Amino acid sequence: MHSQKFGNFDLVLGGCYFHDDGYRQFETVERYRFNFNTRYRFLSIKGLSVGLNGNIMQENGGLFLLWQNADSGGYKQGGAVQMYKDARSNLDPYAVWYAPNGDRYSLHTRYFNSTNLNNTDQGSIANFYYAELQYEKKYRNNFSIVAGAVANYSVVRAMDLYGDHTGHNVAGYVQAEKKIQRLTFVAGIRAENY
């Protein structure tokens, strides 16, 4: 992992490698992961920052089915082994602005991909898109209101496994919060369509 500031730009980088030969024949795992976080704080627009975060992972390996069949209960040499290649990745662009009066406006988005491929024709590829716009207003006496809108859309291509599917979800919400010493009261409402 490495983190560093370059003036108004923040950067965090990380990575990981994992390898396991396992104790069962053909059951192995090899995984690579890389992640990054960025943030840029504008000088010309006080309180505004934008960034892009991400995570990418690739995993290769093998899985075997312990049972040869329902009668023997044994594992046959060269039996049912599934070799797979999985990839997961997400990109998260965002923007946050603290207005001069203390109000907070934020936009968080995400693109997520999950790709599962194997030698048994039971793979799938899924893409997920997400966005949330939020507004927060803080008042005196530890009282605040948060309101926002959320939307997401997903597409799954499952080849021969369970077919192709799509889905969507949109919602709006508002929430009020009041703190009295160590006690917090929260009330809210959310409307949703999916």
Side-chain angles (χ1 to χ4, degrees), residues 1-178:
M1 185 199 137
H2 176 76
S3 62
Q4 189 170 353
K5 287 189 174 191
F6 302 92
N8 298 328
F9 182 72
D10 303 339
L11 176 65
V12 177
L13 299 173
C16 178
Y17 174 75
F18 175 79
H19 181 88
D20 184 2
D21 285 330
Y23 64 92
R24 295 180 287 199
Q25 189 176 18
F26 306 120
E27 190 168 62
T28 62
V29 176
E30 186 174 37
R31 182 181 311 129
Y32 309 87
R33 183 181 54 78
F34 171 73
N35 63 281
F36 63 92
N37 292 1
T38 66
R39 179 175 61 176
Y40 181 79
R41 293 179 305 282
F42 287 86
L43 291 177
S44 58
I45 305 173
K46 189 174 180 181
L48 177 63
S49 61
V50 299
L52 176 66
N53 301 334
N55 192 13
I56 300 165
M57 184 185 76
Q58 171 79 40
E59 181 174 296
N60 307 315
L63 299 172
F64 77 87
L65 187 61
L66 183 61
W67 297 92
Q68 178 182 352
N69 56 49
D71 298 324
S72 69
Y75 172 66
K76 183 179 178 182
Q77 177 73 16
V81 177
Q82 181 187 86
M83 304 305 294
Y84 67 88
K85 287 188 175 188
D86 294 344
R88 308 274 187 280
S89 59
N90 63 280
L91 292 174
D92 302 339
Y94 69 92
V96 179
W97 181 52
Y98 290 91
N101 65 357
D103 294 357
R104 182 178 62 86
Y105 300 84
S106 64
L107 174 64
H108 291 274
T109 63
R110 167 170 282 188
Y111 165 71
F112 175 73
N113 171 269
S114 174
T115 300
N116 305 293
L117 304 175
N118 55 52
N119 63 343
T120 60
D121 294 326
Q122 295 176 326
S124 65
I125 298 173
N127 291 297
F128 178 76
Y129 307 89
Y130 171 88
E132 179 175 10
L133 184 61
Q134 189 178 84
Y135 168 74
E136 181 179 10
K137 174 76 174 176
K138 292 188 177 184
Y139 297 92
R140 296 178 183 173
N141 302 322
N142 294 320
F143 180 74
S144 64
I145 292 179
V146 175
V150 181
N152 67 59
Y153 178 73
S154 60
V155 179
V156 179
R157 304 281 181 238
M159 301 167 201
D160 296 330
L161 185 58
Y162 47 76
D164 298 345
H165 297 276
T166 62
H168 77 276
N169 182 292
V170 292
Y173 61 90
V174 63
Q175 174 178 304
E177 185 175 295
K178 171 70 175 169

